[in-house]
Amino acid sequence: MDLLLNNRTCLVTGGSSGIGLATVAMLLAEGANVVTCARDLDRLNTALDALPGRDRAHAAACDVRDPAAVAALVQGGYERFGGLDGLVNNAGNSRMKARAETTLDDWRDEFDLKFSSVLNTVDAALPLLRKSDAASIVNISAVLARQPETKLVTTSAARAGLLNLSKSLSLELARDGIRVNSVALGLVDTGQWRHRYENSGYTGSFDEWEAEIAADRGIGLGRFGTADEVAFHIVGLLSPRSSYVTGTSIDVCGGVARYV
């Protein structure tokens, strides 16, 4: 199926690895132009150079918590491609700490990253998105937003706030024809789980270790997800074929979600 993304331009934050890189690759495969960023530009360029369609990808170093840096990123993409149709807010990570171990600075840092990364990019991108006839924003969230874990207390709370913000944005921007949706992740193997396996001292195979964790976490499909499986839904929401979908959240979690 043609997703109608050929010659459209999308911005993906955090594009040097994992879900961000998989999303960039899938967009390029659909014929889209891509603007992407990471804090380590050399690492980003190395990753992009391995992708077909690299000539349609504009890369820049950017800390998404810095409004000026984000504005420069958007401006650079505009100068290269002349417009913007989609935005994927992907930058961010998880903080593995229980509440008793968490400082106020941890809370401030977590909320700063989760909210600044979205608010800065949305504010910078809005003037261009308003000119598109099929504008779409996708915010990467997690099932933690509705199903918190005590060992990820700050991330769970921040994700819940981001899910709420995404809904508010979908209502605010609908009048401009801009759709806003979320993709909520479960356990996805983006490389960090391989590192944890290698450092775990587990004597069995990665597949066996993965299956044990999946069973312990209650993942119905019995395994971790892949970056490509997540990217498929992100790109689908960016597509003009999803033109009547806004204000929703799609779980990509293998059945781990226990809420209705």
Side-chain angles (χ1 to χ4, degrees):
M1 176 183 291
D2 181 3
L3 294 181
L4 307 179
L5 289 167
N6 190 53
N7 293 324
R8 293 192 177 273
T9 300
C10 298
L11 167 59
V12 181
T13 63
S16 62
S17 64
I19 292 165
L21 181 59
T23 301
V24 170
M26 205 166 288
L27 285 167
L28 292 175
E30 289 294 325
N33 306 314
V34 179
V35 181
T36 190
C37 67
R39 285 182 291 181
D40 187 336
L41 183 57
D42 289 340
R43 183 186 180 198
L44 175 59
N45 278 323
T46 298
L48 294 178
D49 287 346
L51 300 180
R54 170 65 174 92
D55 59 311
R56 288 182 280 106
H58 174 80
C62 180
D63 184 337
V64 290
R65 292 171 293 189
D66 180 351
V70 174
L73 170 70
V74 173
Q75 180 62 26
Y78 172 71
E79 291 173 359
R80 174 79 182 275
F81 300 119
L84 187 64
D85 302 287
L87 168 61
V88 180
N89 286 306
N90 169 69
N93 51 26
S94 298
R95 186 183 300 271
M96 185 73 75
K97 275 189 177 182
R99 191 208 59 79
E101 302 166 352
T102 305
T103 67
L104 282 176
D105 283 341
D106 289 333
W107 283 100
R108 293 187 184 102
D109 184 64
E110 185 73 10
F111 276 74
D112 183 31
L113 176 60
K114 294 298 187 293
F115 284 89
S116 294
S117 63
V118 172
L119 294 171
N120 288 339
T121 52
V122 168
D123 285 344
L126 268 180
L128 297 178
L129 290 174
R130 287 190 173 111
K131 296 178 181 179
S132 172
D133 63 352
S136 174
I137 298 173
V138 181
N139 295 328
I140 307 307
S141 186
V143 294
L144 295 173
R146 293 193 179 101
Q147 187 169 291
E149 292 189 18
T150 56
K151 292 181 180 179
L152 291 159
V153 61
T154 58
T155 299
S156 295
R159 291 297 192 192
L162 178 57
L163 188 63
N164 189 287
L165 173 62
S166 297
K167 185 68 171 181
S168 295
L169 286 171
S170 74
L171 298 172
E172 174 191 343
L173 300 180
R175 71 193 70 165
D176 295 317
I178 301 172
R179 299 180 296 108
V180 184
N181 294 287
S182 299
V183 171
L185 313 180
L187 270 64
V188 179
D189 180 17
T190 58
Q192 62 179 342
W193 286 102
R194 297 279 173 174
H195 295 310
R196 291 176 185 175
Y197 164 71
E198 291 165 0
N199 296 325
S200 68
Y202 188 82
T203 57
S205 68
F206 176 82
D207 288 345
E208 292 169 332
W209 181 77
E210 174 187 33
E212 288 187 16
I213 293 177
D216 179 67
R217 299 291 183 91
I219 301 174
L221 293 182
R223 61 173 178 85
F224 300 158
T226 68
D228 283 345
E229 287 173 321
V230 179
F232 172 81
H233 293 280
I234 296 171
V235 173
L237 288 171
L238 291 172
S239 168
R241 292 196 182 278
S242 294
S243 56
Y244 202 52
V245 180
T246 195
T248 194
S249 178
I250 296 177
D251 289 351
V252 186
C253 64
V256 72
R258 293 184 293 275
Y259 47 82
V260 176

